[in-house]
Amino acid sequence: MSELISVVVPLYNEEEVIGESYRRLTAVLSAMEEDYELIFVNDGSRDNTFSLAKQLEENDPHVVLVDFARNFGHQMAVTAGVEQAKGDAVVIIDADLQDPPELIPQMVEMWKNGAEVVYGKRVSRKGESAFKKMTAFCYYRVLDALSGWKIPKDTGDFRLMDRRVVDVLRAMPEHNRFLRGMVSWVGFRQEPIEFVREERFAGETKYPLKKMLKLAADGIISFSGKPFGIIRWTGGVLFVAGLLLFLALLIALAFTAVSGWLYVIAAILAVGGLNLLALGLCGVYFERMYDELKGRPLYIVRKVHRDCK
Ligand code: UDP
Ligand code: MG
């Protein structure tokens, strides 16, 4: 029996691109030997996206349409699509053709050769503003420095995942989702595939700065307790500096008169440092509570090897 490939496409106000996106995806997928399903997720679009997607669903048995009650955001749309997917491998791709569908056969080939995740890595970006390129470049470096987990740089959500990975992802119910980080966190054999990020086929970005900042914050907060660590260290250093200054002043007092405001500085340093230290220590508990709340699996098993005798 041939394998099934599911392709998940989130849609938010994409009436200008959905037709071309469907055409190019179908051309690529129908030429492959595997069976396929195309899962469109309409994320509360306010334009004509739903009726266009509905037409596609009615005329093509490969198409599945998930229609959201309102706009829940890209990460939720992708999550819903992945949950509906029945495939042995699931591909996530943007609707605007910035991620080239023509790369899918190569991803499937890598999957057949043993990769369990194939993630698209952008070697360059076309047609995006200098601001977007610069902030994206810096963000992935800050994320790398702050994150407790190494998330591959310059990757979006364009990727193929094996069924095993999809099942683990489905068992990660956290609300603030940073999928590219979550997929990286699960482990398994992950391989990059490099590509040039094309220009948007039509329309404009559905990721305004506000949504982008939320995603960026989710990436850092969900994967790192380091901000609390920075607070702890700063507090600790200030506290010790305050104490040392105080000690130095006491010693100096044996030899000479010391002006009063130096004591005030020592006290401010010590008390301020202690405050920060206490806050940072609370962070340790917050981190642990957050870990519990995320409810991620404790460990992930690829397979148990057991000799059945
Ligand atoms: N998208 C979505 N919900 C949103 C915002 C975006 O489903 O609230 C979809 C959008 O239709 C597209 C993908 O997510 O298929 C990526 O969005 P976009 O191309 O606008 O982001 P950019 O490439 O500019 O970062
Ligand atoms: Mg885009």
Side-chain angles (χ1 to χ4, degrees):
M1 209 179 77
S2 109
E3 273 146 329
L4 178 70
I5 310 289
S6 304
V7 178
V8 172
V9 189
L11 297 166
Y12 179 54
N13 296 343
E14 299 288 13
E15 63 182 6
E16 289 164 289
V17 307
I18 182 172
E20 180 65 9
S21 192
Y22 168 78
R23 194 190 63 72
R24 265 175 67 184
L25 279 164
T26 303
V28 169
L29 294 168
S30 57
M32 288 169 50
E33 61 183 36
E34 293 79 12
D35 204 1
Y36 71 93
E37 61 175 358
L38 199 51
I39 304 177
F40 285 123
V41 184
N42 176 36
D43 182 14
S45 300
R46 291 163 204 275
D47 65 358
N48 221 7
T49 302
F50 171 75
S51 48
L52 293 172
K54 184 79 185 104
Q55 267 172 32
L56 296 174
E57 185 269 329
E58 278 166 10
N59 295 324
D60 181 347
H62 290 107
V63 175
V64 176
L65 173 58
V66 181
D67 186 32
F68 272 4
R70 64 166 169 85
N71 179 247
F72 282 90
H74 171 236
Q75 298 288 296
M76 294 303 164
V78 171
T79 300
V82 169
E83 286 187 356
Q84 290 296 325
K86 296 197 166 70
D88 302 290
V90 178
V91 175
I92 302 170
I93 188 166
D94 283 354
D96 59 1
L97 297 168
Q98 284 198 281
D99 308 327
E102 291 71 22
L103 227 59
I104 294 177
Q106 228 173 307
M107 290 173 137
V108 170
E109 200 51 44
M110 289 167 75
W111 170 62
K112 293 203 154 165
N113 287 329
E116 288 160 309
V117 172
V118 182
Y119 58 91
K121 190 169 164 60
R122 303 150 177 178
V123 285
S124 68
R125 292 162 170 260
K126 282 190 198 163
E128 284 181 314
S129 67
F131 175 75
K132 171 93 185 228
K133 283 185 196 166
M134 204 258 295
T135 47
F137 180 87
C138 293
Y139 173 67
Y140 284 109
R141 270 87 201 150
V142 170
L143 181 65
D144 199 52
L146 281 183
S147 171
W149 182 253
K150 288 289 157 220
I151 298 169
K153 294 189 198 78
D154 306 319
T155 65
D157 287 321
F158 181 35
R159 61 187 62 225
L160 174 148
M161 299 176 290
D162 182 81
R163 169 53 48 191
R164 288 196 193 106
V165 175
V166 171
D167 287 343
V168 175
L169 209 58
R170 294 180 57 150
M172 292 169 73
E174 61 208 71
H175 281 205
N176 297 292
R177 300 175 84 73
F178 186 65
L179 282 165
R180 60 201 74 167
M182 291 163 67
V183 175
S184 148
W185 181 84
V186 304
F188 293 99
R189 198 169 135 192
Q190 311 218 359
E191 290 177 8
I193 181 168
E194 295 195 335
F195 75 104
V196 174
R197 190 154 161 90
E198 296 293 334
E199 264 177 69
R200 202 172 221 290
F201 174 72
E204 53 194 44
T205 176
K206 306 302 178 303
Y207 251 105
L209 193 60
K210 200 169 142 217
K211 279 186 183 168
M212 210 70 225
L213 288 176
K214 159 89 172 84
L215 183 68
D218 286 346
I220 291 173
I221 296 168
S222 305
F223 284 90
S224 175
K226 281 195 185 165
F228 275 123
I230 296 171
I231 294 176
R232 266 196 303 280
W233 269 100
T234 315
V237 168
L238 292 183
F239 179 59
V240 171
L243 285 188
L244 288 179
L245 182 59
F246 197 70
L247 216 63
L249 292 176
L250 282 185
I251 295 170
L253 204 59
F255 305 100
T256 173
V258 177
S259 71
W261 62 268
L262 282 173
Y263 289 102
V264 177
I265 290 186
I268 290 175
L269 277 178
V271 174
L274 201 60
N275 262 325
L276 275 187
L277 194 60
L279 201 67
L281 287 175
C282 286
V284 175
Y285 292 86
F286 283 141
E287 261 180 80
R288 292 186 176 202
M289 282 192 276
Y290 187 35
D291 270 349
E292 300 289 342
L293 283 175
K294 275 189 282 194
R296 289 186 187 170
L298 300 183
Y299 50 80
I300 298 158
V301 175
R302 176 185 280 124
K303 192 176 176 185
V304 177
H305 298 262
R306 196 195 308 249
D307 231 356
C308 296
K309 285 183 187 123

